[in-house]
Amino acid sequence: MKSLLVGTLDTVLDSTSKVAPFRILHHTPDSQVYWSIACGVTKEEIFQHWDWLQQNIMRTLSVFDSSEDITSFVQGKIRGLIAEEGKTSLVLEEDPEKFREALLRFEKWFELPPKEKLVTYYSCSYWRGKVPCQGWLYLSTNFMCFYSYLLGAEVKLIISWDEIWRLEKTSNVILTESIHVLVHGEDHYFSMLLHLSETFVIMEQLADYSIKRLFDKEAFQREPALSDPLQITKRGLEAHAKSEQFRTFFRLPKEENLLEVHESFLWVPFSHYNTLGKICLSENYLCFASQDGSQCHVIIPMREVINVEKPDSSSRALTVCVRGKRALRFSEVRGYQRLANSIRSRCGISPSPQHSASSEVIRGECQSLINHFDDNPEDVTLMVGQKDSSKAVSTEALMTVFHPQDVENLDPKMLKEKMKEQSWNIHFSEYGRGTSMFFTRKTRDLIVRGVPEALRGELWMLFSGAVNDMATHPGYYTDLVEQSLGTSTLATDEIERDLHRSLPEHPAFQSDTGISALRRVLTAYAYRNPKIGYCQAMNILTSVLLLYAKEEEAFWLLVAVCERMLPDYFNRRIIGALVDQAVFEDLIRDHLPQLVDHMTDLSFFSSVSLSWFLTLFISVLPIESAVNVVDCFFYDGIKAILQLGLAVLDYNMGALISCQDDAEAVTILNKFFDSVTNKDSPLPSTVKQASVGNNDKASHFNVDISELIREAYEKYGNIRSEEVESSRKRNKLHVIQTLEDTTKQNVIRVVTQEVRFSASHLDGLYNLFKRQHFLSCYWTMKSPALLHHDPSLAYLDQYQLGFQQFSVLFSLLAPWAFCNAKSTLSLWVFRLIDENQDGLVNFKEFCFALDTLYSGSFTNKLKFLFKLHLPPAFDLPEDGVIKKSPERGRGKVDLQAYLKQWQNEILKKEETIKDLPRINQTQFIQFSKTLYNIFHGDPEEESLYRAVAHVTSLLLRMEEVGRRLHEPSSPPESAKPANAAAAEEEEPTTEEASTTPESSDTSSSRYRRDAGTDLTEMEWSFSFEQVLASLLNEPTIVSFFERPVDVQTKLGQARIAQLKLKANK
């Protein structure tokens, strides 16, 4: 009893398992939301927090005019304190001694391979039904593990990250707040975590890391910082997550990493006040984002910075001067000296003595810039300088060429267009123009009202961040065009097929000018990114980009969309689009409950909305209306598409609720899209896109796209980008696992027709096969097995095992103890079932082998063993490495080879025992050794050995008799005695014997290469019929091979041993 209590106390008692019982909440009047801003374990601690709030925050609240401003200020201040506290407490939390103890417990309890990297651990409760088990949660690179020991009851849980279907924070009546994990249909709940949000974020990051690394390699290869699984740390994951969030928010290139964050105030000249926010510094960019609800942010490329000055050391302020008569003044900057030095070093501004000598002059120039900016905002302009484009590519937007604006045209639409341009020019004069423009709420309001035709390309480049890609890669696109010119791949074939389907009604794509530009952009991108290559819908999107942007700009816009703004959309499995459809379904449940009540199956909306996401509504809306949607997309990202989708469904709510079936709902939506117009569009009717649906709109009122977008922002603009990203991560797990499950079901459906395994057994075998594939990837930075997984291949070939992987799994599942991972028998089996000799075995081939060994007849099992000792299984090099290996994922697919292989499989006839070649002396000796090894350890081992010895001696005597009967034969006929003996002993096989000398000669040809060897002694052989007939006379051997195998038990043992076997290697 004492030992039970000690073990229980060891796993339960820990100060970190307590949840703080006291909290201080902040409440905004007329709001139902309460913000937790402080917590404490004791009354004394919470009162200390209260005193601090009174002294440091409450006294300053009187300067604010509205309760919303107070809430924004308090939130920003508390978040800043938490961030600072996190920096100082990080070292204390990661106590090396405690972590070392936790690592030892982790290794002892779970017996995982030594290479498995423990990232962090937490004290928590795991719920088994309605009973909580207090214990420890360990998060490692590849596994989530839990251990509890309560009064003799041990609970041990090991879950691979790649097996998780759902990972989310939940709450219910019993569990106020917990983490829910769904794995293979089983629910797991973890609660009583002191740092639940932190724990969840780390779990989310590890799951996302595993998914990218093992399933979604296209995304993973773009993140070299996480390529080595042995170097993953909690701090590294946090830094990577922050960098990813930083890049997403500011639309920066994927190479940028968040290096420094400083809280400060920025003087906003157009509002004449200091806004609180954070300075974010990366390798090549200085960014600022407000935290007071003003939604103001600015991006300064380091290439634009000309000087950094500190006006007054006592004020903790600094001024950043940029090209184009611009200056930004930051104040109350913690660590301003370090920030100034960092900016200088990255801009190449040297704080040398000669630089210091002229500092007063430069300071005066900066101050004059600030004063000039304050007094004359209309003079502020900043345009990004670009190198002259190559003459090989188009230097004008197609809309400029095919629809030049008539400056003398003063019709109402052109007048409204001029008014829009004037509004934007005023905006530019106040907020700046180009890369260092301030982004504010007013910017979004102008976007919602519509972007002028003349400014559309420029603003798309700015909002997407493509302007920075293009500025930092001069000449890149021209080089790509030249390199990709004349290449022939599957992608180029698909591009050629779709060129004339891209906005065919637009004059620009009825001419060679537009078609050639489209071809160059798509081919160059396919050459740049062969993992994506070309995907349908890219042609439609690129066509619209070319209308408003120059050719090189359209290329960089396509890069921004495919690689940053819509990740994983344009690949074989369109994972990104499926994930956003799942996010869309969640939003429908939250915002359109009436529709959910009527249509319980929301998968209909997923199928209908796929084209909305893939083409940004371009394929369903007239072009003059669709470009307004693209405007919003480049500013707000996928959030704009989700908002508009909700607005479309909301607008048609009544009709959708009353419809009887899906077809009627599709018709309703198509009619609605046909009715959407852009009353302000200055484009002539020859350029506008004709409706693709029914032109009879008498029963439908026209809907203006600007009004629809405005309504979408008014009703659903409160959807936060952070919520969308969180929902994306949550749904990505489910989407990928659903695709994987579909692959599994299709593979099982194909294999089950040709084997005797049940569906449940095949399911278990597939899970083991797939897990073995991943086990070789878990602890290796560049595992060859990762290259074997190609989701674009046929279902059967998506997961394949090399020899090392196969030998381990085969040793766990083989019915005989002799078949260990290092035995030559595993090598021969691998060679035998690898029919195309590419060094890889797929699931179907693996199942065929096991099915024969588990459920085959005595004859089939013996035939399988017999073939293991014939070429190609027995004759290949002993290292098991097959040099012939297919090149995957690149170049043009040889369709003829695939068709020929398919035809051969159809015409392939079932092999009979008469088709088997004869076995020569060396092969027969090895065959006998194999039988001895298989019987080793069996209870009837002695009788089985005697039976094999008897059969062997019998066959040898038969061969000796045959040889003596044919001794007078001439040397050229030396191959005949064995066959004649076989004919005398086995009368029913005389026909086969007369046809086998040729095959016998082939199979033993390598033994005749030695000139000094007596052919009459070496060239003897046995047919399969002879071996079969002899073994059938031994009931002990027959009963051994016909002994049934408990498949379920075998699978269960293999699941348990699979990890341990890897750990013990």
Side-chain angles (χ1 to χ4, degrees):
M1 187 64 182
K2 181 180 177 181
S3 61
L4 291 181
L5 288 175
V6 170
T8 300
L9 291 173
D10 182 49
T11 57
V12 173
L13 293 183
D14 185 77
S15 60
T16 59
S17 64
K18 299 176 183 177
V19 177
F22 299 100
R23 293 184 298 170
I24 297 175
L25 305 178
H26 174 80
H27 177 237
T28 307
D30 302 325
S31 172
Q32 297 181 351
V33 178
Y34 290 80
W35 297 93
S36 177
I37 59 175
C39 63
V41 178
T42 63
K43 285 185 179 181
E44 291 76 12
E45 183 180 355
I46 203 69
F47 277 119
Q48 288 178 2
H49 292 325
W50 179 256
D51 293 338
W52 188 92
L53 290 170
Q54 283 184 317
Q55 294 174 9
N56 296 277
I57 292 185
M58 292 184 185
R59 292 178 181 179
T60 61
L61 298 183
S62 59
V63 300
F64 295 99
D65 298 328
S66 66
S67 57
E68 288 78 11
D69 292 340
I70 293 175
T71 301
S72 298
F73 173 76
V74 172
Q75 287 178 353
K77 195 66 177 175
I78 297 300
R79 286 170 180 164
L81 289 171
I82 292 172
E84 290 298 322
E85 179 66 22
K87 292 177 184 176
T88 57
S89 64
L90 189 63
V91 180
L92 298 177
E93 289 179 0
E94 295 182 356
D95 185 354
E97 193 60 37
K98 284 188 176 181
F99 192 85
R100 193 176 296 111
E101 293 175 3
L103 180 60
L104 292 174
R105 292 198 300 267
F106 173 72
E107 294 174 347
K108 172 187 174 184
W109 287 339
F110 303 107
E111 300 179 316
L112 293 172
K115 287 185 177 181
E116 182 63 15
K117 181 79 166 55
L118 178 63
V119 176
T120 187
Y121 62 100
Y122 299 95
S123 175
C124 72
S125 290
Y126 169 64
W127 290 78
R128 302 183 70 185
K130 296 181 179 180
V131 180
C133 302
Q134 185 66 32
W136 291 92
L137 177 67
Y138 294 87
L139 307 180
S140 65
T141 307
N142 300 294
F143 300 95
M144 176 181 67
C145 306
F146 176 82
Y147 184 85
S148 174
Y149 186 83
L150 291 170
L151 299 176
E154 185 181 54
V155 178
K156 187 185 296 186
L157 188 69
I158 302 177
I159 297 174
S160 301
W161 294 115
D162 55 80
E163 296 175 334
I164 294 178
W165 282 65
R166 280 276 181 195
L167 179 63
E168 56 192 352
K169 287 193 287 188
T170 60
S171 60
N172 53 42
V173 178
I174 301 176
L175 303 175
T176 54
E177 200 171 17
S178 62
I179 297 175
H180 171 223
V181 181
L182 177 64
V183 182
H184 295 310
E186 296 183 5
D187 294 301
H188 304 275
Y189 291 92
F190 302 89
S191 67
M192 300 297 288
L193 286 146
L194 181 59
H195 304 289
L196 187 137
S197 295
E198 175 194 305
T199 308
F200 178 75
V201 168
I202 294 293
M203 293 172 71
E204 197 174 50
Q205 290 168 352
L206 285 168
D208 184 60
Y209 166 77
S210 180
I211 288 293
K212 284 181 178 178
R213 182 165 183 259
L214 301 176
F215 296 114
D216 189 18
K217 295 188 293 298
E218 292 173 11
F220 180 74
Q221 290 171 353
R222 300 195 292 267
E223 299 178 3
L226 297 179
S227 60
D228 188 355
L230 302 181
Q231 301 300 323
I232 298 300
T233 62
K234 178 183 174 183
R235 189 176 300 178
L237 287 170
E238 290 172 345
H240 177 265
K242 289 178 181 177
S243 294
E244 191 173 35
Q245 187 179 12
F246 164 70
R247 289 191 297 266
T248 302
F249 183 83
F250 292 108
R251 306 280 168 76
L252 298 179
K254 61 180 181 292
E255 296 84 10
E256 298 301 312
N257 294 294
L258 182 60
L259 303 177
E260 298 179 26
V261 178
H262 301 267
E263 189 177 82
S264 75
F265 288 89
L266 171 64
W267 173 250
V268 184
F270 48 84
S271 299
H272 298 286
Y273 79 99
N274 282 312
T275 179
L276 175 65
K278 287 189 177 179
I279 301 171
C280 301
L281 188 69
S282 69
E283 289 88 348
N284 299 295
Y285 295 89
L286 172 69
C287 306
F288 177 87
S290 65
Q291 292 182 294
D292 58 1
S294 63
Q295 298 179 7
C296 168
H297 70 273
V298 63
I299 305 166
I300 307 294
M302 294 295 185
R303 63 181 183 273
E304 300 293 327
V305 177
I306 58 176
N307 195 33
V308 180
E309 280 300 319
K310 297 172 288 182
D312 185 2
S313 59
S314 62
S315 63
R316 296 194 303 176
L318 56 88
T319 302
V320 178
C321 301
V322 299
R323 292 189 178 94
K325 298 182 180 180
R326 291 290 302 279
L328 291 92
R329 187 165 57 202
F330 299 98
S331 59
E332 297 298 325
V333 184
R334 292 188 179 184
Y336 69 99
Q337 181 67 54
R338 182 163 62 92
L339 177 60
N341 292 336
S342 296
I343 298 174
R344 286 198 187 102
S345 64
R346 298 184 189 288
C347 298
I349 303 171
S350 174
S352 57
Q354 59 268 27
H355 174 269
S356 301
S358 60
S359 62
E360 292 298 326
V361 178
I362 297 173
R363 186 181 295 114
E365 291 177 355
C366 289
Q367 188 60 43
S368 66
L369 284 176
I370 295 171
N371 297 334
H372 182 84
F373 179 69
D374 292 343
D375 300 335
N376 305 286
E378 67 278 359
D379 291 344
V380 178
T381 57
L382 175 64
M383 297 297 291
V384 178
Q386 304 290 352
K387 287 197 173 184
D388 291 338
S389 300
S390 170
K391 294 181 180 180
V393 299
S394 175
T395 57
E396 294 292 337
L398 294 179
M399 194 64 80
T400 306
V401 176
F402 288 89
H403 177 49
Q405 289 192 6
D406 186 359
V407 293
E408 297 181 358
N409 184 359
L410 299 178
D411 65 13
K413 290 186 177 181
M414 283 305 300
L415 284 174
K416 196 156 188 178
E417 187 76 3
K418 293 298 180 184
M419 290 174 62
K420 283 184 182 179
E421 289 185 25
Q422 185 63 26
S423 298
W424 275 97
N425 287 330
I426 294 172
H427 183 80
F428 291 148
S429 67
E430 293 181 356
Y431 299 90
R433 186 169 186 172
T435 51
S436 57
M437 183 180 81
F438 281 90
F439 295 81
T440 65
R441 285 176 177 170
K442 189 174 180 181
T443 313
R444 179 181 279 112
D445 293 340
L446 287 174
I447 291 286
V448 172
R449 281 187 275 173
V451 174
E453 298 280 317
L455 297 176
R456 189 159 268 137
E458 176 189 340
L459 292 176
W460 285 359
M461 290 289 289
L462 178 63
F463 296 150
S464 66
V467 65
N468 293 314
D469 291 325
M470 183 167 158
T472 54
H473 295 83
Y476 177 82
Y477 174 67
T478 306
D479 294 341
L480 271 186
V481 170
E482 293 175 356
Q483 292 169 13
S484 61
L485 192 66
T487 57
S488 178
T489 64
L490 183 61
T492 57
D493 291 347
E494 293 176 346
I495 289 169
E496 289 296 326
R497 186 184 63 218
D498 288 346
L499 283 176
H500 295 278
R501 303 176 187 175
S502 310
L503 302 185
E505 68 287 340
H506 198 286
F509 298 101
Q510 295 171 359
S511 71
D512 184 62
T513 302
I515 294 295
S516 297
L518 181 61
R519 178 188 292 111
R520 286 193 294 269
V521 172
L522 292 174
T523 305
Y525 186 78
Y527 189 85
R528 164 191 165 88
N529 192 345
K531 291 292 182 181
I532 293 179
Y534 171 77
C535 179
Q536 282 190 341
M538 288 173 67
N539 61 319
I540 298 174
L541 176 61
T542 308
S543 301
V544 175
L545 298 179
L546 283 167
L547 290 179
Y548 294 97
K550 299 174 184 177
E551 186 176 321
E552 185 177 5
E553 293 174 342
F555 169 79
W556 287 112
L557 284 169
L558 184 63
V559 170
V561 171
C562 294
E563 298 177 11
R564 287 203 303 270
M565 301 186 72
L566 295 179
D568 303 325
Y569 260 61
F570 302 100
N571 54 29
R572 296 290 180 183
R573 301 199 291 179
I574 56 172
I575 291 173
L578 296 175
V579 169
D580 283 343
Q581 284 181 301
V583 174
F584 188 51
E585 287 186 19
D586 290 344
L587 292 173
I588 292 173
R589 292 187 185 93
D590 294 338
H591 296 275
L592 302 174
Q594 287 179 294
L595 201 57
V596 176
D597 293 340
H598 180 71
M599 304 182 73
T600 53
D601 184 12
L602 297 182
S603 59
F604 162 74
F605 295 112
S606 294
S607 59
V608 169
S609 64
L610 181 61
S611 62
W612 304 357
F613 292 99
L614 282 174
T615 66
L616 308 178
F617 283 93
I618 296 171
S619 62
V620 294
L621 287 175
I623 185 63
E624 68 274 9
S625 300
V627 291
N628 285 37
V629 179
V630 179
D631 295 340
C632 299
F633 167 75
F634 278 123
Y635 190 83
D636 274 322
I638 193 63
K639 174 176 172 283
I641 305 300
L642 295 168
Q643 289 174 182
L644 186 61
L646 291 174
V648 168
L649 297 181
D650 189 18
Y651 193 95
N652 295 277
M653 176 82 73
L656 290 172
I657 289 177
S658 61
C659 67
Q660 301 298 319
D661 52 34
D662 292 352
E664 187 178 351
V666 171
T667 303
I668 289 168
L669 291 174
N670 286 339
K671 285 185 177 180
F672 171 77
F673 288 127
D674 289 344
S675 71
V676 177
T677 61
N678 188 347
K679 63 183 181 183
D680 298 332
S681 175
L683 299 180
S685 57
T686 55
V687 174
K688 290 184 179 179
Q689 178 180 352
S691 298
V692 293
N694 186 5
N695 291 322
D696 182 15
K697 302 178 185 177
S699 60
H700 233 82
F701 294 106
N702 285 345
V703 182
D704 183 61
I705 186 63
S706 297
E707 291 298 318
L708 185 62
I709 290 174
R710 184 181 57 78
E711 186 177 332
Y713 272 90
E714 287 179 355
K715 287 188 175 181
Y716 309 109
N718 59 345
I719 298 173
R720 298 170 62 238
S721 298
E722 293 83 0
E723 295 173 359
V724 173
E725 289 301 319
S726 177
S727 183
R728 273 178 161 180
K729 289 180 180 178
R730 182 174 65 252
N731 284 290
K732 186 175 183 179
L733 292 172
H734 186 263
V735 166
I736 287 187
Q737 295 292 7
T738 301
L739 291 173
E740 290 294 311
D741 192 61
T742 301
T743 298
K744 178 172 72 172
Q745 297 305 324
N746 284 317
V747 169
I748 290 176
R749 185 167 58 250
V750 170
V751 175
T752 193
Q753 300 172 2
E754 304 184 43
V755 296
R756 286 168 285 258
F757 288 119
S758 66
S760 63
H761 290 161
L762 283 174
D763 186 274
L765 277 172
Y766 185 89
N767 291 336
L768 287 169
F769 189 88
K770 180 178 169 182
R771 194 183 199 189
Q772 190 63 44
H773 169 89
F774 285 152
L775 281 174
S776 61
C777 312
Y778 281 163
W779 303 284
T780 308
M781 187 165 66
K782 293 182 179 179
S783 168
L786 280 174
L787 302 176
H788 302 163
H789 177 222
D790 188 349
S792 65
L793 294 176
Y795 289 122
L796 278 171
D797 295 329
Q798 287 189 17
Y799 289 105
Q800 302 185 87
L801 300 183
F803 169 66
Q804 297 299 331
Q805 301 163 290
F806 167 83
S807 61
V808 174
L809 185 58
F810 184 73
S811 68
L812 294 174
L813 293 170
W816 310 306
F818 163 65
C819 302
N820 57 59
K822 296 181 179 179
S823 70
T824 53
L825 189 64
S826 297
L827 175 61
W828 299 337
V829 172
F830 180 81
R831 292 169 175 171
L832 178 63
I833 64 178
D834 180 19
E835 295 182 358
N836 59 357
Q837 297 187 9
D838 63 350
L840 300 170
V841 170
N842 64 31
F843 182 68
K844 182 179 179 181
E845 295 166 337
F846 183 76
C847 284
F848 280 179
L850 281 186
D851 183 58
T852 301
L853 298 180
Y854 279 17
S855 308
S857 64
F858 174 75
T859 301
N860 286 336
K861 290 179 180 178
L862 191 64
K863 183 170 72 172
F864 188 86
L865 287 173
F866 189 84
K867 290 169 69 176
L868 292 181
H869 299 82
L870 295 170
F874 193 72
D875 258 5
L876 292 179
E878 289 297 322
D879 57 5
V881 177
I882 301 175
K883 295 181 181 179
K884 179 184 176 184
S885 182
E887 185 73 18
R888 302 188 183 282
R890 289 184 175 272
K892 194 167 183 177
V893 177
D894 190 351
L895 298 178
Q896 294 297 328
Y898 273 111
L899 290 173
K900 187 176 181 181
Q901 180 182 350
W902 183 46
Q903 184 181 20
N904 292 337
E905 289 179 358
I906 293 175
L907 300 176
K908 186 179 179 181
K909 61 179 181 178
E910 186 176 354
E911 184 183 55
T912 65
I913 58 176
K914 293 184 178 181
D915 297 326
L916 293 175
R918 299 172 68 85
I919 193 170
N920 63 34
Q921 179 181 4
T922 303
Q923 295 163 348
F924 178 73
I925 292 172
Q926 187 58 56
F927 176 77
S928 302
K929 289 181 179 179
T930 300
L931 289 178
Y932 280 121
N933 290 328
I934 287 174
F935 300 148
H936 180 68
D938 191 84
E940 300 182 10
E941 179 180 351
E942 190 175 343
S943 58
L944 288 167
Y945 279 180
R946 285 199 300 269
V948 172
H950 181 260
V951 168
T952 304
S953 60
L954 176 64
L955 287 170
L956 290 174
R957 284 200 303 272
M958 289 164 49
E959 178 62 28
E960 183 67 25
V961 170
R963 186 181 301 140
R964 287 179 180 177
L965 289 174
H966 291 80
E967 268 184 356
S969 300
S970 60
E973 301 295 324
S974 58
K976 293 183 178 178
N979 295 320
E984 290 181 9
E985 296 291 332
E986 304 285 342
E987 291 184 5
T989 61
T990 52
E991 181 181 352
E992 200 273 340
S994 65
T995 61
T996 53
E998 204 172 30
S999 62
S1000 175
D1001 183 75
T1002 302
S1003 63
S1004 56
S1005 60
R1006 62 175 180 158
Y1007 296 103
R1008 291 204 300 269
R1009 293 170 188 166
D1010 187 354
T1013 304
D1014 187 355
L1015 294 178
T1016 59
E1017 291 182 2
M1018 292 299 297
E1019 292 194 7
W1020 57 266
S1021 60
F1022 299 110
S1023 67
F1024 176 72
E1025 294 94 323
Q1026 290 175 295
V1027 177
L1028 175 62
S1030 302
L1031 289 174
L1032 281 173
N1033 290 324
E1034 298 294 335
T1036 310
I1037 295 178
V1038 173
S1039 63
F1040 173 85
F1041 281 106
E1042 291 184 344
R1043 192 180 301 164
V1045 178
D1046 188 343
V1047 180
Q1048 195 63 40
T1049 302
K1050 203 75 178 173
L1051 293 177
Q1053 293 171 346
R1055 274 194 299 271
I1056 296 171
Q1058 200 170 30
L1059 272 178
K1060 291 185 178 180
L1061 190 64
K1062 185 75 180 179
N1064 295 330
K1065 284 186 69 175

